[in-house]
Amino acid sequence: LLSALPRLEEEVKEQQRKNLRASHGNEDASWAITRFASRLIVPPDSRFLWNWDIVKRLIVIYYMLEVPIRFSFLNLAEMEEQTQIAFNTLNWSADAFMALNVVLTFFRGFNNESRGTVTSFPEIRQRYVFGFFAWDIAACCPIDGWMPEKHGTTSILARPRAALRLLRLLHLRHLFGPGDGADVA
């Protein structure tokens, strides 16, 4: 990716020069970004995506077990420090992987029944943004990391961090679909 950045800058500057001559200063570099992003598209049948989906499903199964148990029984504030560190490291690693999955989904080709394999960046982007993008962002948002583990009340919000981790269960949709984020919400 970093090795391609100078080429991208070169293409942007060249197009800006052309645009400047053609439109007297109305510059638009979005075509170069779209063209560059189109080179990064991963075909839906690639081995990389197959392996990625296996890891993603394992993380979703982890969430399926961890979130309800933590919400119902476990209180990190009452655990030993080493256990807290291990638990938080595992959770932050899983959360980081799922955040990377959001980025990858923008570059993940998909199969269309009528047109076959679609690898056009604008089509992939539009399909994901109008599909499950909002759900994925809500599930990945690490707001639980800034909440206290325990609160002084006895209500359901007595443990706000555990309650906010329930948003991770939105990832359950990844267990059954192709993982391309394309299903319309």
Side-chain angles (χ1 to χ4, degrees):
L1 180 63
L2 293 176
S3 65
L5 287 177
R7 286 194 320 246
L8 175 65
E9 289 176 18
E10 208 173 285
E11 289 178 16
V12 169
K13 287 178 184 176
E14 178 61 31
Q15 188 60 35
Q16 286 174 342
R17 282 191 288 271
K18 289 179 185 177
N19 286 347
L20 187 58
R21 281 183 256 137
S23 61
H24 305 294
N26 186 12
E27 301 171 14
D28 182 16
S30 64
W31 72 270
I33 294 168
T34 301
R35 202 163 96 197
F36 175 73
S38 294
R39 293 181 194 150
L40 301 175
I41 301 300
V42 181
D45 57 351
S46 76
R47 184 76 174 161
F48 169 76
L49 286 181
W50 188 84
N51 291 327
W52 183 272
D53 286 345
I54 295 233
V55 173
K56 181 174 60 175
R57 285 180 173 103
L58 289 173
I59 289 174
V60 170
I61 290 169
Y62 167 74
Y63 282 143
M64 229 170 44
L65 298 171
E66 180 263 340
V67 171
I69 289 172
R70 183 169 174 186
F71 183 74
S72 302
F73 306 113
L74 293 180
N75 188 350
L76 282 183
E78 297 172 359
M79 291 182 178
E80 294 180 20
E81 186 177 350
Q82 292 294 342
T83 307
Q84 285 180 12
I85 291 171
F87 209 77
N88 284 330
T89 301
L90 183 60
N91 285 336
W92 281 96
S93 298
D95 294 348
F97 181 89
M98 294 309 283
L100 284 173
N101 186 63
V102 171
V103 174
L104 176 66
T105 305
F106 278 106
F107 299 98
R108 183 182 186 131
F110 63 91
N111 293 316
N112 183 299
E113 291 179 13
S114 62
R115 296 184 346 212
T117 301
V118 177
T119 58
S120 165
F121 177 70
E123 289 181 57
I124 294 168
R125 178 186 59 201
Q126 181 180 8
R127 191 167 194 229
Y128 184 43
V129 167
F130 292 113
F132 275 107
F133 177 68
W135 290 92
D136 286 348
I137 290 296
C140 287
C141 191
I143 56 175
D144 61 303
W146 296 293
M147 299 298 290
E149 184 62 36
K150 198 170 185 180
H151 198 279
T153 67
T154 58
S155 71
I156 195 167
L157 294 177
R159 295 182 32 231
R161 185 180 291 178
L164 286 171
R165 292 246 355 132
L166 290 171
L167 287 172
R168 298 303 186 269
L169 294 178
L170 291 173
H171 288 303
L172 287 176
R173 73 174 189 82
H174 292 290
L175 274 179
F176 305 107
D180 60 8
D183 304 325
V184 177

